Amino acid sequence: MQIYTASTVADSFSGAIFAIEGIADAAVVLNGPTGCKFYHSATSDSQFPRSVDYDPLNYAERCFFGQPRVPATYLDSDDYIFGSEMKLAEVLEIVAARDYSLIVVVNSPGAALIGDDLNRMLAQTVRQTPCFSLESSGFSGSFGEGFQTALNKMIDLLDLPATEPDPMTVNLLGISLNQRYFDHNYATIRELLALSGVQVATAFGATDPLQKIATARQAALNIVVCPENGLQTAKKLQDDWGTPYIVLDEGQPVGFSATEAMIAQVSAALGTDPDAAYQNVEKARAVAYLQLSRYSSLLGLPKGALYSIRAQPSFAYPLARWLSEYLGMIPSAIELVPGEDGGFVTRLNDFLSSISCSHVLGKPVAETPSEVIFADADTITTSRLTGITAACIEIGYPVLSYLDITRKQLFGSEGALFLLEQIMNGLRFI
């Protein structure tokens, strides 16, 4: 049975919206039909709640439709003929009256064809709050393209004054609220770097308010955590500010080895002592060994178990290496989400070739038998429709309905232990 899942891949339109909605005191005004609003509003609010009260009556205006995020101009057929000016002016007045530090108008792909002068309408309506518009977020471009288009334009708008860089301060680039547990992933990196005396000025679009983003020029180094979402911004900041950048050699810090590689690379770049951070990882390794030794002696697993991954290349590469090299698991399918990968597609292919598994790259996860699936909810549910029985671990968006209350993360030593817990428990019940 042929399965089509390409429509579930977040594109540049979603990337632009989530880049701004990931800023604590910024708001996106969506110039488009209501159908473009609901997913983005629901995801933004579930990933990064900014309102304590969820009473829909507090967001009773037509542009909010009872949701606290991403107010929209609810365009219909007449607006595509006569223009969206009246509706946009109405929405901007409502949003400008709320306490935001930044307002950004993002055109839906259809609204981009109308040709309204968004900047003129912003200038007429929003007078006290910094604002800009995105006439087009890139149409069918990748998530990372839209994400960086929005952030780069915001950086130009802020026009931060030059300051003397702090040699022990960095920025993180590429973390987005479209990533599972993105806020705790951000916190995990901050905590690991702090063990080496390194402070994080900001991570653009990852929960920080404008006031914290304004400290970005204090950083002596930009760390590209996810090149699909951050490499172009890193190059821009190097050209504009002279701030050098590094792309993590082993990809996103997933698993023990990739985490240690991040620690080593940052410490080498800044000349810091990594010992305390290494000890953090070693303690987690000891916990993992204690659990694995007992689990494997009884079940023989997870060694030899089949796994599938659907993720960005910079995430799939370290995850595949950790699963195969550390746990002895065997890949059955690896499906990559589109985006500029910083060379990780090549590195992933080389690794798979080295273990005689190059044939799994590009195979559809939802149609390939496996015992553990690492993917988004759409891929997981589609695998159920095709009859695959596997332990399923969510690592991307969209997600299923499980409510996450306590802290979870995919990065660092604690992230490795969380993934190991999911794998070991999942394999027991298939």
Side-chain angles (χ1 to χ4, degrees):
M1 178 173 65
Q2 184 67 45
I3 301 295
Y4 296 93
T5 59
S7 63
T8 66
V9 177
D11 60 9
S12 56
F13 176 53
S14 297
I17 293 174
F18 289 148
I20 304 304
E21 284 295 316
I23 299 169
D25 49 357
V28 168
V29 173
L30 171 58
N31 190 35
T34 53
C36 293
K37 166 190 164 51
F38 290 107
Y39 172 77
H40 295 102
S41 180
T43 299
S44 297
D45 189 64
S46 64
Q47 274 280 74
F48 182 26
R50 298 191 310 208
S51 174
V52 176
D53 186 2
Y54 194 72
D55 186 349
L57 294 179
N58 289 337
Y59 301 91
E61 300 94 336
R62 284 186 295 177
C63 60
F64 282 102
F65 292 90
Q67 293 179 302
R69 305 286 280 275
V70 194
T73 53
Y74 51 94
L75 300 184
D76 55 30
S77 57
D78 287 348
D79 299 312
Y80 286 93
I81 299 171
F82 300 108
S84 62
E85 182 170 350
M86 290 182 61
K87 286 184 175 178
L88 183 56
E90 174 194 349
V91 175
L92 287 174
E93 288 180 1
I94 293 170
V95 175
R98 293 177 178 262
D99 190 23
Y100 294 113
S101 298
L102 175 69
I103 296 173
V104 180
V105 177
V106 177
N107 265 340
S108 69
L113 303 175
I114 298 175
D116 285 323
D117 189 344
L118 302 183
N119 290 326
R120 177 180 60 82
M121 285 184 271
L122 277 168
Q124 291 176 348
T125 311
V126 183
R127 297 181 177 86
Q128 304 299 322
T129 306
C131 57
F132 67 88
S133 67
L134 281 179
E135 301 280 351
S136 169
S137 55
F139 294 103
S140 298
S142 68
F143 178 92
E145 290 172 356
F147 186 84
Q148 292 175 95
T149 295
L151 288 184
N152 291 352
K153 195 161 185 178
M154 180 197 70
I155 291 167
D156 289 338
L157 173 73
L158 296 178
D159 192 24
L160 304 178
T163 184
E164 186 67 26
D166 182 339
M168 299 296 284
T169 300
V170 300
N171 295 319
L172 304 179
L173 301 178
I175 301 174
S176 85
L177 61 74
N178 197 50
Q179 297 170 313
R180 198 75 167 104
Y181 315 120
F182 85 112
D183 49 348
H184 297 152
N185 291 338
Y186 176 21
T188 296
I189 295 180
R190 286 201 312 267
E191 292 160 3
L192 278 171
L193 295 180
L195 292 174
S196 300
V198 178
Q199 302 301 312
V200 176
T202 188
F204 298 93
T207 73
D208 288 337
L210 263 293
Q211 185 177 14
K212 189 166 177 59
I213 291 173
T215 68
R217 295 198 72 168
Q218 296 177 10
L221 180 71
N222 287 326
I223 301 174
V224 182
V225 179
C226 174
E228 294 88 348
N229 299 343
L231 185 55
Q232 291 306 312
T233 297
K235 293 177 179 178
K236 170 185 170 57
L237 297 184
Q238 185 176 59
D239 293 340
D240 293 353
W241 298 350
T243 308
Y245 70 88
I246 59 172
V247 178
L248 296 181
D249 290 336
E250 296 302 315
Q252 299 178 44
V254 180
F256 298 128
S257 295
T259 300
E260 289 173 330
M262 179 191 73
I263 294 167
Q265 189 176 357
V266 175
S267 295
L270 298 178
T272 62
D273 183 358
D275 284 349
Y278 283 148
Q279 290 174 17
N280 175 276
V281 180
E282 282 304 307
K283 289 179 181 178
R285 281 183 182 272
V287 172
Y289 177 79
L290 180 65
Q291 298 297 328
L292 279 168
S293 63
R294 285 154 176 75
Y295 187 89
S296 297
S297 66
L298 294 172
L299 301 176
L301 296 170
K303 184 177 182 180
L306 297 174
Y307 69 86
S308 298
I309 300 172
R310 187 171 191 260
Q312 294 172 310
S314 66
F315 191 100
Y317 171 70
L319 178 58
R321 289 200 62 175
W322 183 65
L323 294 173
S324 292
E325 294 180 341
Y326 180 73
L327 297 177
M329 298 174 69
I330 302 170
S332 59
I334 298 182
E335 191 176 354
L336 300 179
V337 175
E340 181 178 2
D341 63 274
F344 284 101
V345 173
T346 300
R347 297 195 65 183
L348 178 58
N349 187 56
D350 290 344
F351 168 70
L352 292 173
S353 297
S354 70
I355 60 172
S356 302
C357 291
S358 58
H359 62 283
V360 308
L361 187 59
K363 294 180 69 174
V365 169
E367 302 174 59
T368 306
S370 182
E371 291 169 280
V372 185
I373 294 176
F374 300 84
D376 56 90
D378 280 348
T379 302
I380 289 170
T381 52
T382 304
S383 72
R384 292 287 191 260
L385 293 176
T386 61
I388 295 174
T389 301
C392 297
I393 301 172
E394 292 180 84
I395 59 171
Y397 262 72
V399 296
L400 296 170
S401 58
Y402 187 86
L403 295 176
D404 296 293
I405 298 174
T406 190
R407 173 169 167 166
K408 304 178 182 71
Q409 57 276 310
L410 300 177
F411 288 176
S413 52
E414 291 301 316
L417 291 179
F418 172 68
L419 287 172
L420 184 60
E421 176 185 301
Q422 297 288 297
I423 293 167
M424 292 169 65
N425 281 289
L427 286 173
R428 290 173 61 194
F429 297 105
I430 61 169

